[in-house]
Amino acid sequence: MLQSFKNILVPVDFTRNTEVAINKTLELIDREEAFVHLLHVKRNVYSLKKEMHQDPEKKLKEWKQTIEEEYPHITVQVSVEESTSVQHSIKKKAKEIGADLVVIGQSSTHYWLPLLKTVLPMALAQSTQIPV
């Protein structure tokens, strides 16, 4: 049997990978009462990646409503933060909310160019002591 979790942080970048991460989160979540925290980090520096949504708060609220309607035992909290470091923002939020799991959807590993990655799951898990 899979372990269930009550307090999960899902960093959101609005790609297909985010949808996969949210679906996996809903599979892992406790069936009684649980909290899902959706966090979007706006990079406040010039970035190679363009924002996927012009209004991330609106999109997060839509996801919140959809999840809470479909899963009444889940409370969804959303937040948008501005930072130069996505990794640092995720770490800070995970500690702030007392997350017992962080679910990150990634498509590319960039083994040959690790500087291109904005989040390093192993380093995040090690620094927070939270499964990622």
Side-chain angles (χ1 to χ4, degrees), residues 48-64:
L48 295 175
K49 286 177 97 174
K50 229 177 145 177
E51 283 289 325
M52 295 287 287
H53 284 277
Q54 296 303 316
D55 191 353
E57 282 121 3
K58 180 180 177 189
K59 184 66 175 171
L60 288 173
K61 287 177 183 175
E62 289 172 8
W63 281 355
K64 170 184 169 59

Side-chain angles (χ1 to χ4, degrees), residues 3-12 20-31 33-39 67 73-79 90 93-95 97-105 130-132:
Q3 179 180 356
S4 63
F5 298 91
K6 291 185 178 279
N7 199 18
I8 300 178
L9 174 62
V10 183
V12 172
V20 171
I22 291 172
N23 287 332
K24 182 52 76 175
T25 298
L26 296 173
E27 289 175 22
L28 294 171
I29 207 136
D30 192 295
R31 294 294 172 211
E33 180 184 28
F35 298 90
V36 172
H37 303 266
L38 302 178
L39 169 67
I67 293 168
H73 64 285
I74 296 175
T75 301
V76 179
Q77 296 178 342
V78 299
S79 57
I90 295 169
K93 181 58 100 174
K95 287 184 174 188
I97 65 171
D100 48 31
L101 180 67
V102 178
V103 178
I104 298 173
I130 300 169
V132 177

